[in-house]
Amino acid sequence: MEKYIYQNGGEFEVKQEAQYIEDRWQVSDNWLLSLGLRNEQFSNYNADGIVYVSQRHQLAPRLGASWDVKGDSSLKVFANAGRYHLALPNNVARRGAAGSLYTHEYFAFQSIDPNSGVPIGLTALGDAPYSPNNEYGNAPDPRMVAAEGLKSHFQDEFVLGFEQQLGGFNYGTRFVYRDLKSAIDDICDGRAAEAWGLANGLSEDQSYHLGQSLQGCRLFNPGEDNTFNLDDGSGTLIRVPLTADALGFDKLKRRYYALDFFVERPFDGTWYAKIDYTWSKNYGNSEGQLLSDFGQADVAMTMTWDHPELMLHGSGYLPNDRTHFLKAFGFYQISPEWRVAATVKAATGRPKNCYGYLVDGSAYYDENMAYGAYYHFCNGQASPRGTAGRLPDTATIDLGLAYAPNVLDNRLVFSLDVFNIFDQQVAQSVEERWESGGYGTRYAHSGRVINYSSPRSVRLAVRYDF
């Protein structure tokens, strides 16, 4: 049994436990089966030590099979299938389950002190303080933070491949398929809850408050039916079941396909080399727990699923899509004490987007400035995800030198590694918003590089193996 406790300043806590059982069954001289089952539990606590999300009995089966075709280990065919879960990160406790203080105060003033710049003759305007999203520092009811029976983030993976020895070389290929089956994010759209209240005999005031309660952003499973506990304005929680159609979102989708090929020259006491090439496709409407298009750091609480209009034309190539990836690695043993190595990596640039203001006749048409130019529209036209070209391809070369003196059985190693030796700094992300300040107004920083690949660096290391 494993048990982990993560804490952030002693305030928030995530507890994770897992049990795992595995067996390797030699069915025959040529067949080996690997059978496994993992059971995982996660519990997330708010700052008051109260559980707001608990996920139990998350069963993750694992199955593998290997066939030694000729019985001499020269040709192996294998297949694997498994399910893999991710725990809900503890930043959700800080962002969604804690008592955030978010208030504004407004004043009129008579003049400004010319020396200090401080306003003179302040007069308060309206009731103060005012919170645009009703966050006054009070933690929400833990039952409201997440939908009932929230499923964790998990994906299924399937692998099929072979490896063969031929003429002193090893070569092989494998096919990988990964399918994201469930995700956790937040929804900040109260229209479906308000409509449910009106359709189920609640007053306009109660229905309005149900909508405001959901609009305060609640955790849910995107693209699925969800049941929320929402405040009707009196402090009473009402159970509100909402279908995926009512919420207005498409089915969650993230699929990864890859074909990998490799050729390896085993080490013969003098040199070793391996070349690996991968063709892949990463496609869907959700990257997962992140939103790296904009570098949004709110893990599992991105704006991806805040309201349906953000998902219009939202399916396409995801940020981690790299169609081609090549890696070559090798080393040469100059003597028992000296070794040199080199690594070459090359990859297709990631897909780009062109974001702008929403141009749609929905209820958010007049309110979309709250989310700014973060919709899949560009200069008044639909701009599906990943269709604005690609960033430049990347290619780097790393070199290494290692010295293992002829003492202590060569277990003491001094190494020098130079990464990205030609200092190739290529754009890894750019400002993808096309407009700002109004429809059709080109954003001055559109296309600006946000970050580059890592520059040349050097690492000196001393290692002793014992």
Side-chain angles (χ1 to χ4, degrees):
M1 176 183 292
E2 302 165 275
K3 184 173 182 179
Y4 305 95
I5 299 177
Y6 304 94
Q7 291 185 302
N8 180 7
E11 296 179 353
F12 311 116
E13 202 173 58
V14 177
K15 291 184 179 180
Q16 175 184 345
E17 296 180 5
Q19 303 82 39
Y20 186 71
I21 185 171
E22 181 182 19
D23 183 47
R24 292 176 179 265
W25 178 23
Q26 191 73 49
V27 180
S28 67
D29 290 341
N30 296 62
W31 282 93
L32 174 67
L33 289 182
S34 297
L35 306 171
L37 179 65
R38 186 178 179 89
N39 182 29
E40 298 176 277
Q41 305 89 41
F42 307 113
S43 295
N44 294 64
Y45 297 78
N46 65 13
D48 298 322
I50 301 174
V51 174
Y52 63 90
V53 171
S54 180
Q55 297 142 336
R56 320 300 293 173
H57 308 302
Q58 297 177 111
L59 299 179
R62 314 283 168 83
L63 174 63
S66 178
W67 176 31
D68 185 356
V69 179
K70 298 180 180 181
D72 59 0
S73 300
S74 63
L75 175 60
K76 181 178 71 174
V77 178
F78 58 88
N80 297 286
R83 173 164 290 183
Y84 303 88
H85 294 90
L86 280 180
L88 185 65
N90 65 355
N91 82 297
V92 174
R94 174 177 55 84
R95 284 280 288 112
S100 301
L101 182 62
Y102 180 49
T103 59
H104 294 172
E105 293 185 60
Y106 300 93
F107 300 88
F109 58 94
Q110 297 176 352
S111 61
I112 296 179
D113 188 306
N115 296 318
S116 65
V118 175
I120 298 173
L122 292 178
T123 302
L125 299 176
D127 296 330
Y130 164 72
S131 174
N133 59 357
N134 294 316
E135 292 188 67
Y136 289 99
N138 298 317
D141 189 316
R143 294 171 295 175
M144 295 175 58
V145 173
E148 290 184 0
L150 193 71
K151 294 189 296 184
S152 69
H153 183 111
F154 69 90
Q155 72 174 14
D156 291 337
E157 178 181 281
F158 303 90
V159 179
L160 177 64
F162 79 90
E163 296 180 7
Q164 184 168 17
Q165 299 175 357
L166 184 64
F169 287 84
N170 299 328
Y171 72 93
T173 185
R174 65 172 186 157
F175 171 73
V176 180
Y177 171 70
R178 297 179 183 135
D179 185 9
L180 181 63
K181 308 299 290 186
S182 174
I184 297 176
D185 214 299
D186 63 337
I187 179 174
C188 308
D189 184 353
R191 290 173 291 180
E194 184 172 359
W196 181 91
L198 293 173
N200 284 272
L202 273 66
S203 68
E204 290 188 5
D205 184 66
Q206 287 178 301
S207 301
Y208 168 79
H209 280 94
L210 289 182
Q212 290 297 299
S213 182
L214 186 56
Q215 193 164 319
C217 301
R218 308 300 172 198
L219 296 176
F220 80 132
N221 292 128
E224 302 184 23
D225 299 345
N226 287 265
T227 298
F228 301 91
N229 290 286
L230 304 175
D231 190 343
D232 68 352
S234 67
T236 300
L237 297 188
I238 293 181
R239 192 170 182 270
V240 180
L242 298 173
T243 65
D245 288 341
L247 291 168
F249 292 107
D250 293 333
K251 187 72 176 176
L252 171 75
K253 183 178 182 181
R254 189 194 72 192
R255 292 175 182 168
Y256 173 80
Y257 309 85
L259 273 174
D260 181 82
F261 306 89
F262 81 91
V263 178
E264 180 183 42
R265 201 270 191 184
F267 183 57
D268 62 353
T270 302
W271 65 283
Y272 167 89
K274 182 177 182 179
I275 299 175
D276 192 292
Y277 166 75
T278 302
W279 173 92
S280 64
K281 178 181 178 182
N282 193 11
Y283 185 91
N285 58 16
S286 179
E287 187 179 0
Q289 291 188 335
L290 301 173
L291 185 58
S292 59
D293 308 63
F294 310 121
Q296 188 175 3
D298 291 327
V299 184
M301 293 190 71
T302 70
M303 65 179 173
T304 306
W305 302 91
D306 282 6
H307 61 250
E309 285 76 11
L310 286 163
M311 296 299 291
L312 289 173
H313 312 293
S315 290
Y317 290 108
L318 295 168
N320 288 327
D321 180 74
R322 305 272 187 169
T323 308
H324 306 286
F325 185 86
L326 176 69
K327 180 178 181 180
F329 170 75
F331 62 86
Y332 183 81
Q333 194 76 42
I334 301 174
S335 70
E337 296 181 329
W338 290 94
R339 183 176 70 244
V340 292
T343 300
V344 177
K345 291 178 287 187
T348 304
R350 76 169 186 83
K352 294 192 297 184
N353 301 292
C354 187
Y355 291 101
Y357 294 115
L358 177 66
V359 284
D360 184 78
S362 70
Y364 272 85
Y365 180 78
D366 295 325
E367 301 176 16
N368 76 87
M369 296 297 285
Y371 276 77
Y374 289 108
Y375 296 86
H376 294 283
F377 290 87
C378 185
N379 196 23
Q381 302 295 320
S383 179
R385 178 188 287 275
T387 58
R390 285 184 178 266
L391 291 171
D393 298 341
T394 61
T396 59
I397 298 177
D398 306 331
L399 297 180
L401 175 66
Y403 171 61
N406 190 23
V407 294
L408 302 174
D409 296 327
N410 298 106
R411 294 184 178 184
L412 179 65
V413 180
F414 300 88
S415 62
L416 169 67
D417 297 289
V418 182
F419 302 98
N420 190 9
I421 190 168
F422 293 114
D423 201 24
Q424 298 293 311
Q425 296 183 52
V426 179
Q428 297 299 295
S429 64
V430 298
E431 176 57 71
E432 297 185 335
R433 287 175 294 172
W434 187 89
E435 57 193 339
S436 179
Y439 293 99
T441 301
R442 181 67 181 268
Y443 184 32
H445 297 289
S446 179
R448 176 178 61 86
V449 177
I450 296 175
N451 61 65
Y452 292 89
S453 52
S454 299
R456 179 171 51 233
S457 61
V458 178
R459 181 180 66 192
L460 291 169
V462 178
R463 186 183 77 247
Y464 178 73
D465 299 323
F466 57 90

